[in-house]
Amino acid sequence: MVIICVSGSVGSGKSTLSKKLAKSLKFEYFDVTKEIKKNKLSSGYDEEKKCEIVDEKKLIKFLVEKINNSENLVIDSIFAHLIPKKYIDLCIVTTCDIGILRDRLKKRKYSSEKVRENVEVEIFDSFVIEAKEKKHNLLILDTSEGYKLKEIVEFVKKEVL
């Protein structure tokens, strides 16, 4: 069993990478965002930010159960790096140049407040710092100019499989 989590700022390319990586490795792709509402893993909805208010304890418990009932899995979520290290073989954190990230978020028609908030998270390197605090086997991937999927797949095969 191999479990890879992909985390990073909204708009940093984690979903695109997760889907391609899962397909290349023939792993199951798991989109946590879709599961939050479906499995009642939130404590409500933030009207101002237009998003679910995630109950992190419930979510982590849910993800650990999913991991324990899975074979090979790529988990895609802004919360994935919070899963305890003992369940994760590799944590990939996607990062992005803040100017490019800002443009990506504006294209999604996010409010200026949501753009600012997500750019600040990227500026402060929050996902990388939190993943390091969890002591994950970590790959930091700058997606600003794209990436070479083949090289990432080779890295995974060499380091994790």
Side-chain angles (χ1 to χ4, degrees):
M1 172 173 80
V2 175
I3 307 298
I4 299 170
C5 70
V6 182
S7 195
S9 298
V10 173
S12 66
K14 72 187 156 307
S15 294
T16 301
L17 172 64
S18 297
K19 290 173 188 171
K20 288 179 178 179
L21 187 59
K23 185 176 181 180
S24 292
L25 294 169
K26 296 181 174 61
F27 281 20
E28 178 185 352
Y29 166 76
F30 192 70
D31 181 349
V32 175
T33 303
K34 289 182 180 176
E35 300 297 323
I36 290 171
K37 194 169 188 176
K38 184 172 142 186
N39 291 284
K40 298 181 174 90
L41 301 171
S42 70
S43 58
Y45 189 80
D46 185 327
E47 289 294 335
E48 189 177 312
K49 293 182 181 180
K50 300 195 184 325
C51 65
E52 296 292 327
I53 302 165
V54 176
D55 182 326
E56 287 184 24
K57 284 184 181 177
K58 272 189 191 176
L59 176 63
I60 298 304
K61 184 179 176 190
F62 172 81
L63 290 173
V64 167
E65 284 179 33
K66 174 66 179 170
I67 289 166
N68 288 332
N69 293 305
S70 297
E71 284 300 313
N72 298 321
L73 187 63
V74 176
I75 300 169
D76 168 12
S77 174
I78 62 169
F79 301 102
H81 65 286
L82 299 176
I83 301 168
K85 178 188 182 217
K86 69 181 183 177
Y87 299 103
I88 304 296
D89 297 292
L90 177 65
C91 177
I92 300 173
V93 175
T94 54
T95 64
C96 186
D97 173 84
I98 57 171
I100 292 169
L101 182 63
R102 185 180 294 115
D103 291 345
R104 288 178 184 175
L105 298 175
K106 284 180 179 178
K107 277 185 186 173
R108 293 181 182 189
K109 300 197 184 325
Y110 283 11
S111 69
S112 57
E113 174 64 21
K114 194 164 184 172
V115 170
R116 184 190 58 74
E117 183 179 287
N118 283 289
V119 167
E120 284 177 0
V121 167
E122 188 70 18
I123 289 169
F124 292 114
D125 223 7
S126 301
F127 290 96
V128 172
I129 290 167
E130 290 174 354
K132 285 180 177 178
E133 286 172 352
K134 291 279 187 189
K135 299 188 181 347
H136 280 295
N137 178 18
L138 184 61
L139 172 62
I140 302 166
L141 184 64
D142 186 339
T143 66
S144 302
E145 302 297 326
Y147 49 83
K148 294 187 169 116
L149 182 64
K150 188 176 180 181
E151 289 177 8
I152 298 165
V153 169
E154 290 305 314
F155 175 84
V156 169
K157 286 179 178 177
K158 187 174 96 182
E159 296 293 320
V160 191
L161 297 181

